[in-house]
Amino acid sequence: MKICILTPRFPMPENGGDVLRINNIARYFKSQGHELLLVSFYDTPIDMNEAMRLYDKIYTVRRNKGVSTLNSLLFLLSGRPIQCGYYHARAFTKKFNEVLEKEHPDMFVAHLLRMAPYLEKAGLTDHATVEMTDALSKTYSMSSNAKGGLLKKIIYRIERNLIERYEDHVIKTFPKVVLVSQADIDFLKKRIASPSLSLHTNGVECLPNIPTNYNPNKICFIGNMRTLQNQDAVLRFVKNIFPIILKNRPDTVFYIVGAEPSREIQNLNNKKNIIVTGFVNDLEGTISDSCLAVAPIKIAAGIQNKVLVAMGCGIPVVMTSLISKAIPELIDGKNCYIKDDDESFANACISIMNDEALRNDMRINGFNTIRDNYSWNEKLRGY
């Protein structure tokens, strides 16, 4: 079977949870013997050789920022999601039509909600899956109250309503809409119950063995740093939680690991005890000697790769209850710590750093939980 995957950004290098997920979906399809066609936007120079190791044929369209901005405004004025407008382009439609005429794909996957309009316009909904991943309306509901100016908050509120309406439309229109969290499916079902909603959570490739050597003063945060939720989490940790830890452990160093850090995050690199790495080629090698990983997320939907990756490297994780709910196997105090207020969060970190026996138990329990329950092949079975 020929499967055509449409993506809003080129999926190499794997520098974010979104591209990591779509590539593992592609790997799953490949393991089932399917031929893969990729039709993708790109913004910066791309490594075609790396992508060709996974995708059989690749068709690309360079995204024009001016066109993206104009179409965002036009979509807003016409009552359609801004982000769908941002990724709307005649050049992409033309390229996609060429692929249809040349390749005659059997099945289609729209990576994220913003690519679904291309399949609708081509009349291909009956043969398509929308890899929605997260309930964006849920994320926008939380983001509308986040830090930012009045205009930004107004735009978030408008986009939330537009996204909510379009999510409902997609769920009614497409035969299969995939999300990574049961909590997100339950959230959407409160608005619209549909058999099209399907659960395939994220997976991870655990290290072959749990690293035994670690730096007792190293804390890490993993995440794509261009996203609001990760920026919000890091700034909250630096402002409210890290100072409490430093009073008890003054030699602690906080590593912020992730691609495309904002200017505000980059400026943290000049502060004592904070290192901002940006994108790293070897994520596991960069973080595996950490004493613990933190995920103080207050804005989120779906399952967080940062938790799976850290625990798959044998690193204990302290996280908020908001993201722990997406991983039902997590047990506070056994395979992780789940804390919401700043002081409790900080004290949990200090406990892990001060108590080697506690850390060892938690890292082993966490590693086993991920190894036994979150392999990619198992989670994508039947996709």
Side-chain angles (χ1 to χ4, degrees):
M1 183 185 297
K2 281 187 180 181
I3 301 178
C4 181
I5 300 175
L6 283 66
T7 65
R9 69 184 184 106
F10 198 72
M12 295 291 180
E14 293 183 335
N15 59 0
D18 57 338
V19 295
L20 180 66
R21 178 169 173 82
I22 196 60
N23 282 344
N24 275 287
I25 291 170
R27 291 183 183 104
Y28 175 77
F29 287 148
K30 197 82 167 182
S31 73
Q32 304 300 303
H34 301 302
E35 181 180 350
L36 302 183
L37 312 175
L38 174 68
V39 187
S40 179
F41 278 112
Y42 72 97
D43 295 290
T44 56
I46 55 180
D47 186 345
M48 191 68 76
N49 291 330
E50 183 182 6
M52 286 297 294
R53 296 189 187 102
L54 175 58
Y55 298 93
D56 296 287
K57 295 181 181 178
I58 299 173
Y59 301 87
T60 60
V61 176
R62 188 176 186 99
R63 190 175 63 82
N64 184 298
K65 293 183 179 180
V67 171
S68 292
T69 302
L70 175 61
N71 283 331
S72 296
L73 178 59
L74 293 175
F75 269 55
L76 172 62
L77 294 175
S78 63
R80 292 175 289 174
I82 299 169
Q83 65 171 267
C84 290
Y86 193 74
Y87 289 96
H88 173 76
R90 290 182 181 178
F92 195 96
T93 300
K94 181 180 179 181
K95 180 68 70 173
F96 183 44
N97 287 335
E98 291 173 1
V99 172
L100 294 178
E101 292 177 7
K102 179 180 178 181
E103 302 289 352
H104 304 288
D106 303 293
M107 175 183 167
F108 303 85
V109 176
H111 182 215
L112 305 178
L113 194 70
R114 61 196 64 158
M115 302 308 286
Y118 290 104
L119 297 177
E120 278 198 90
K121 187 174 182 179
L124 297 168
T125 56
D126 290 345
H127 306 282
T129 294
V130 177
E131 170 53 44
M132 190 180 288
T133 303
D134 302 328
L136 283 181
S137 55
K138 182 180 178 182
T139 304
Y140 272 91
S141 294
M142 291 181 269
S143 300
S144 61
N145 296 317
K147 178 182 176 182
L150 178 61
L151 179 60
K152 185 176 182 179
K153 291 182 178 180
I154 291 173
I155 291 174
Y156 267 96
R157 291 193 182 104
I158 294 172
E159 179 73 342
R160 178 193 65 197
N161 294 331
L162 298 177
I163 286 290
E164 183 175 299
R165 189 166 60 193
Y166 190 56
E167 282 177 340
D168 292 351
H169 170 73
V170 165
I171 292 167
K172 292 177 184 177
T173 304
F174 286 80
K176 187 170 184 177
V177 178
V178 178
L179 293 107
V180 301
S181 164
Q182 185 61 48
D184 280 18
I185 290 179
D186 294 342
F187 174 83
L188 293 172
K189 281 184 175 180
K190 291 178 181 178
R191 297 201 315 259
I192 177 169
S194 171
S196 67
L197 293 171
S198 180
L199 176 67
H200 289 281
T201 65
N202 282 344
V204 69
E205 296 300 326
C206 293
L207 294 181
N209 299 292
I210 305 176
T212 56
N213 297 320
Y214 69 95
N215 182 344
N217 292 315
K218 181 176 178 178
I219 296 176
C220 70
F221 177 94
I222 313 162
N224 193 320
M225 294 313 303
R226 71 171 178 272
T227 67
L228 173 65
Q229 51 265 43
N230 285 336
Q231 294 172 24
D232 180 76
V234 164
L235 295 173
R236 176 199 169 204
F237 183 82
V238 169
K239 180 180 179 181
N240 301 334
I241 300 171
F242 197 37
I244 301 174
I245 297 172
L246 288 174
K247 286 182 180 178
N248 187 278
R249 305 270 307 201
D251 293 330
T252 303
V253 179
F254 179 43
Y255 282 71
I256 303 168
V257 184
E260 301 182 42
S262 66
R263 184 176 300 276
E264 190 173 13
I265 300 298
Q266 290 179 42
N267 289 339
L268 295 175
N269 196 44
N270 298 322
K271 293 188 176 182
K272 184 180 178 182
N273 297 77
I274 298 176
I275 295 175
V276 180
T277 68
F279 172 72
V280 295
N281 288 312
D282 182 6
L283 177 60
E284 288 79 7
T286 301
I287 67 170
S288 60
D289 65 337
S290 300
C291 183
L292 65 99
V294 294
I297 306 292
K298 290 292 188 180
I299 304 169
I303 192 169
Q304 296 289 308
N305 276 330
K306 57 177 58 65
V307 174
L308 300 180
V309 169
M311 294 175 74
C313 289
I315 305 170
V317 181
V318 183
M319 71 190 79
T320 55
S321 60
L322 175 65
I323 59 174
S324 70
K325 294 173 183 176
I327 308 175
E329 296 84 2
L330 295 180
I331 301 173
D332 181 36
K334 182 177 180 181
N335 51 17
C336 68
Y337 270 131
I338 303 170
K339 306 296 177 186
D340 286 320
D341 69 274
D342 296 337
E343 187 170 354
S344 296
F345 199 103
N347 288 335
C349 295
I350 293 168
S351 295
I352 292 173
M353 300 177 77
N354 287 342
D355 190 336
E356 186 173 2
L358 169 67
R359 181 190 183 276
N360 286 337
D361 286 344
M362 194 166 286
R363 74 187 178 99
I364 292 170
N365 291 336
F367 179 86
N368 290 341
T369 296
I370 301 305
R371 181 197 61 193
D372 295 344
N373 296 283
Y374 286 89
S375 70
W376 276 110
N377 278 344
E378 178 61 30
K379 291 305 177 184
L380 295 176
R381 193 180 304 279
Y383 193 100

